[in-house]
Amino acid sequence: MTTLVSDFRSDTVTKPTAKMRRAMAEAEVGDDVYGEDPTVRRLEERTAEVLGKEAALFVPTGSMGNQLSLRVHARSGTEVILEGRSHIFHYEMAGMAALSGLLPRPVDAPRGRMTKEQVAAWIRPETVYYLPRTSVLALENTHNFAGGAVVPRSVIDPLLALAAEKGLRTHLDGARLWNAAAALGVSEASLAAGFDSVMTCFSKGLRAPVGSAVAGSKAFIAEARRVRKLFGGGMRQSGVIAAAALVALEDERQRLPEDHVRAKKLAEGLAGISGISLDVMAVETNIVFFFLEGEWGDSAAVTAKLKSRGVLAGAAAANSIRMVTHADVGDADVDRALRAFSEIAKGH
Ligand SMILES: Cc1ncc(COP(=O)(O)O)c(C=O)c1O
């Protein structure tokens, strides 16, 4: 596949497939606020099944899914423990504070893997009445800003056991849970097991144009439906977009290993270029994060140079870049990106 522009900024840039567009055009719909959209119902039932939960709820965005889950789980004035570079903490506009009166308690962990000891140190004791209560423990899998890092059950299980012991609710930001499952060769349900709620996105590597879901117990979903309306997310004939999400769910998960192979190839090529600091072994899924050293200068200047060569990448911080593989970048795009980096490195 050769495209005009090789867009590695995010897997969210993927365009819907012809099959998705057909499904959208033909979708059977109704008013979902009245619970009358059969396509949304089907998507919710199938999502719950795939994630191994009792029920699911279709939501417009991953951010809304995360935020409404926290709102359902926690009382205002309590603390939420989560990883220091997690999407919920960094990129959701202080949503938990603004929308639900919750205080984030970030815990920094390499590769997004918080330990039981780290979390235990921040669970507030009931015996000290003037401390906020800890209400929720939230994890992210794959962890976006740890470079698409996979969080395996060996990390999850001790954390869920601790949460159960201390009476905390647990939430999983599984925007890219599909990638984690593909990388580990396990089911999504096996990675979602034990969490009170899980959010996942159809609009990233799975290529749907819009849509995410939350899943959990029937009681959780009943409350989540109320909060979705409160947050302005009650949708009407949303079967039109749910139809594309259903195609995404059924057709696109099998393809994700291809994205992972291309990310690895991209990482290996980049790691061989002088002044690029990148741990190839850390690239487990479709996200490649790396640092620029020495002569390279500012990442914004580098992404501008890449753009002039038809390659789009994200400047993650002053000296780091994020590149994401997805269905709309092929081998030729990876080659073009590596060529562009080599040219820039040589000062051409
Ligand atoms: C890990 C993670 N969680 C949540 C989200 C939020 O999804 P949305 O952009 O649909 O709000 C993203 C978006 O990139 C993400 O990477």
Side-chain angles (χ1 to χ4, degrees):
M1 182 202 320
T2 314
T3 45
L4 224 47
V5 171
S6 302
D7 193 346
F8 290 91
R9 288 171 303 165
S10 176
D11 44 11
T12 56
V13 302
T14 44
K15 306 278 197 321
T17 62
K19 186 169 172 187
M20 287 178 191
R21 289 175 186 273
R22 253 194 327 274
M24 292 171 79
E26 291 163 9
E28 212 187 322
V29 296
D31 189 329
D32 184 54
V33 172
Y34 296 154
E36 291 173 0
D37 191 301
T39 309
V40 171
R41 241 358 41 86
R42 265 199 298 139
L43 174 66
E44 290 175 340
E45 281 164 16
R46 183 71 184 120
T47 304
E49 189 179 31
V50 170
L51 296 177
K53 300 292 181 196
E54 278 179 11
L57 180 75
F58 188 44
V59 291
T61 66
S63 301
M64 186 185 282
N66 281 333
Q67 293 302 327
L68 68 76
S69 298
L70 297 180
R71 174 64 164 253
V72 172
H73 289 321
R75 273 175 50 192
S76 161
T78 61
E79 247 177 5
V80 174
I81 299 179
L82 74 186
E83 205 281 322
R85 290 166 303 165
S86 60
H87 194 279
I88 296 179
F89 181 52
H90 261 291
Y91 299 99
E92 296 184 12
M93 303 180 70
M96 76 170 79
L99 300 168
S100 303
L102 298 170
L103 184 67
R105 170 55 62 189
V107 171
D108 292 336
R111 319 253 345 109
R113 298 177 174 193
M114 293 182 283
T115 65
K116 187 172 177 176
E117 291 68 32
Q118 280 182 303
V119 172
W122 280 111
I123 298 176
R124 309 297 199 146
E126 266 299 316
T127 45
V128 187
Y129 80 89
Y130 48 79
L131 294 176
R133 283 187 165 128
T134 308
S135 51
V136 180
L137 171 66
L139 269 63
E140 183 173 314
N141 199 6
T142 63
H143 193 298
N144 183 353
F145 278 84
V150 168
V151 183
R153 277 314 304 191
S154 57
V155 173
I156 297 168
D157 286 337
L159 295 175
L160 293 188
L162 175 67
E165 183 192 320
K166 298 290 184 181
L168 309 188
R169 294 298 181 91
T170 53
H171 174 71
L172 175 62
D173 176 347
R176 296 183 181 79
L177 192 65
W178 320 113
N179 297 82
L184 291 170
V186 300
S187 69
E188 291 84 2
S190 75
L191 293 175
F195 285 93
D196 293 309
S197 56
V198 49
M199 185 285 289
T200 194
C201 295
F202 306 111
S203 58
K204 298 190 165 67
L206 300 192
R207 307 165 89 177
V210 188
S212 298
V214 289
S217 67
K218 283 185 182 152
F220 167 79
I221 291 298
E223 282 305 305
R225 194 177 295 283
R226 297 178 71 91
V227 179
R228 183 184 68 174
K229 192 74 176 77
L230 172 70
F231 286 178
M235 298 178 285
R236 302 296 176 174
Q237 285 73 36
S238 41
V240 170
I241 49 176
L246 259 172
V247 175
L249 185 58
E250 302 305 352
D251 287 11
E252 294 295 326
R253 288 182 284 153
Q254 308 79 288
R255 205 198 45 75
L256 294 175
E258 284 177 30
D259 296 346
H260 300 177
V261 169
R262 286 200 183 96
K264 202 72 164 179
K265 186 178 160 205
L266 178 66
E268 282 163 356
L270 288 170
I273 298 173
S274 168
I276 291 183
S277 166
L278 190 159
D279 178 4
V280 177
M281 291 300 286
V283 178
E284 296 177 284
T285 59
N286 67 331
I287 301 179
V288 183
F289 247 105
F290 51 95
F291 293 91
L292 303 171
E293 293 170 347
E295 306 283 287
W296 277 94
D298 179 61
S299 59
V302 174
T303 53
K305 287 180 190 169
L306 288 169
K307 190 175 178 183
S308 71
R309 290 166 170 80
V311 176
L312 303 184
N319 67 339
S320 75
I321 287 183
R322 183 183 83 140
M323 296 178 76
V324 185
T325 55
H326 50 76
D328 293 352
V329 291
D331 292 330
D333 297 290
V334 171
D335 292 343
R336 178 196 274 169
L338 292 175
R339 224 171 23 248
F341 272 99
S342 296
E343 284 170 15
I344 298 167
K346 288 179 193 145
H348 295 316

